[in-house]
């Protein structure tokens, strides 16, 4: 019986190109992407690697999260930091401005913040002369938060600038598109109030 004279150890093997390296073809080129444009490639890659993922739900949450982050950064850096406060402080100022005066625990709930965060922000805003603590007439141990006259004036001036920036963000929509978008966000807001959603205490 004739055997092959070829040595298996020296037998030529096919070369493996870069595209054939396991996993190499799945790595996208993100060098030209930024924070917002990264979303579309992230969705496509996730669909390919995890086919059972719901791409519509993922795209909704990913885009909402990323656009919200970009919007908040823009508003904070162009309006609120120049006004002398942070985005968190704006949320508290806005909540108290709308409510007139508010117990700190309720302010934390309405602003979507922890009580510790509200306490810290109140200290800062009080030291700046923008907010005051006053006794709660219905609870001897309670304290109400309210804007000082200077705080109200400063907030309202900044909010006009804030709203001008909001108009810039809304400008890509036609009036009808904007109303449709608001309607859809309101539906999502309603869904967020259901029992299965985890809420801050």
């Amino acid at each position: 019986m004739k055997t092959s004279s070829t040595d298996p150890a020296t037998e030529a093997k096919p070369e493996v190109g870069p595209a054939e390296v396991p996993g190499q073809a799945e790595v996208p080129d993100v060098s030209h992407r930024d924070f917002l444009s990264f979303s579309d490639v992230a969705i496509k890659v996730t669909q390919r690697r995890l086919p059972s993922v719901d791409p519509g739900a993922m795209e909704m949450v990913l885009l909402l999260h990323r656009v919200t982050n970009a919007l908040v950064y823009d508003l904070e850096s162009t309006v609120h930091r120049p006004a002398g406060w942070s985005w968190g402080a704006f949320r508290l100022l806005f909540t108290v401005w709308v409510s007139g005066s508010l117990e700190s625990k309720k302010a934390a709930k309405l602003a979507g913040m922890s009580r510790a965060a509200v306490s810290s922000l109140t200290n800062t805003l009080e030291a700046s002369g923008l907010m005051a603590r006053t006794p709660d007439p219905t609870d001897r141990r309670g304290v109400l938060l309210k804007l000082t006259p200077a705080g109200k004036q400063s907030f309202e001036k900044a909010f006009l600038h804030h709203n001008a920036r909001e108009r810039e963000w809304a400008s890509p929509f036609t009036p009808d598109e904007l109303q449709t978008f608001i309607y859809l966000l309101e539906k999502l807001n309603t869904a967020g109030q259901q029992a299965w959603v985890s809420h801050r205490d």
Side-chain angles (χ1 to χ4, degrees), residues 121-135:
L121 286 169
T122 300
N123 289 338
T124 301
L125 293 169
E126 191 173 30
S128 301
L130 300 174
M131 188 173 287
R133 291 179 169 97
T134 60

Side-chain angles (χ1 to χ4, degrees), residues 20-192:
E20 298 176 90
V21 175
Q24 185 73 30
E26 294 186 6
V27 178
D29 178 10
V30 296
S31 59
H32 62 293
R33 300 285 179 171
D34 60 18
F35 179 73
L36 289 174
S37 66
F38 179 74
S39 299
D40 60 341
V41 70
I43 292 162
K44 291 174 183 176
V45 169
T46 302
Q47 269 190 284
R48 186 167 67 246
R49 295 179 184 174
L50 300 171
S52 63
V53 163
D54 182 336
M58 177 187 173
E59 186 167 13
M60 179 195 76
V61 172
L62 187 60
L63 286 174
L64 273 174
H65 174 68
R66 288 186 167 249
V67 171
T68 298
N69 278 351
L71 189 154
V72 166
Y73 179 81
D74 178 64
L75 289 171
E76 182 172 32
S77 61
T78 61
V79 178
H80 299 292
R81 288 295 181 185
W85 53 69
S86 66
W87 179 255
F90 162 70
R91 288 163 57 190
L92 181 58
L93 286 167
F94 179 71
T95 301
V96 176
W97 178 76
V98 168
S99 304
S101 63
L102 209 55
E103 193 271 326
S104 59
K105 181 179 179 181
K106 186 64 174 181
K109 184 174 183 178
L110 294 180
M113 306 168 77
S114 69
R115 278 177 278 181
V118 165
S119 178
S120 177
L121 286 169
T122 300
N123 289 338
T124 301
L125 293 169
E126 191 173 30
S128 301
L130 300 174
M131 188 173 287
R133 291 179 169 97
T134 60
D136 185 346
T138 64
D139 182 355
R140 288 185 302 173
R141 294 175 299 177
V143 174
L144 298 177
L145 307 180
K146 64 181 299 183
L147 269 61
T148 63
K152 181 176 181 291
Q153 183 179 22
S154 295
F155 174 81
E156 290 177 352
K157 180 180 178 181
F159 193 78
L160 293 175
H161 186 191
H162 175 102
N163 184 242
R165 202 69 178 180
E166 288 176 325
R167 287 199 300 271
E168 292 290 333
W169 277 89
S171 64
F173 296 109
T174 66
D176 286 345
E177 287 173 339
L178 182 58
Q179 288 307 308
T180 298
F181 185 55
I182 291 170
Y183 168 74
L184 295 173
L185 288 175
E186 287 173 342
K187 290 189 72 172
L188 193 59
N189 185 54
T190 299

